[in-house]
Amino acid sequence: MRASRSNRSCCTRRSSPRRRRSFSGWERSARAGRRRRATTSRYEHHEKWDGTGYPRGLKGEEIHLYGRITAVADVFDALGSDRVYKKAWELDRILTLFREERGRHFDPQLVDVFMEELPRILEVRDRYRDELQE
């Protein structure tokens, strides 16, 4: 495990329900012997490129590539999907957020790749869109 750059204790960083859920999901995956990709992605996808994420406050390339990729995919999916508590965002609004958060929330190189590959990503998204969506 990489050392945290944060001065807060490990327990303090895991104090909120969301942070505990991220850590406990990581623990379950690790105990179950899941592959490293799944375990690392689950644990690190809430970290942010600028170091303000959780659970460990990792920054930049301290965040494993799997976690950085999963963060982009997770946010894109979450914002573009209807939820009980919110409507899906329009694509233009999502893309604006990615441009604004490039280098803050997200790895700037991954945002560039995401934008370059957007037509293919949208094709896959549309092909496998939840059947329950109207």
Side-chain angles (χ1 to χ4, degrees), residues 5-29:
R5 298 180 70 110
S6 173
N7 291 333
R8 294 171 291 168
S9 74
C10 184
C11 294
T12 301
R13 284 192 305 280
R14 285 191 239 131
S15 60
S16 76
R18 183 181 292 170
R19 291 173 191 215
R20 281 193 307 269
R21 188 172 60 245
S22 178
F23 183 75
S24 66
W26 172 80
E27 283 181 315
R28 283 192 306 275
S29 291

Side-chain angles (χ1 to χ4, degrees), residues 44 52 54 77 90 102:
E44 294 189 2
T52 62
Y54 64 90
D77 178 64
E90 295 293 324
R102 181 185 182 276

Side-chain angles (χ1 to χ4, degrees), residues 22-50:
S22 178
F23 183 75
S24 66
W26 172 80
E27 283 181 315
R28 283 192 306 275
S29 291
R31 277 195 304 266
R34 305 270 182 195
R35 295 160 135 189
R36 182 171 184 226
R37 287 187 300 266
T39 303
T40 301
S41 295
R42 174 178 257 169
Y43 190 50
E44 294 189 2
H45 79 282
H46 290 290
E47 300 289 357
K48 293 185 180 181
W49 185 255
D50 67 2

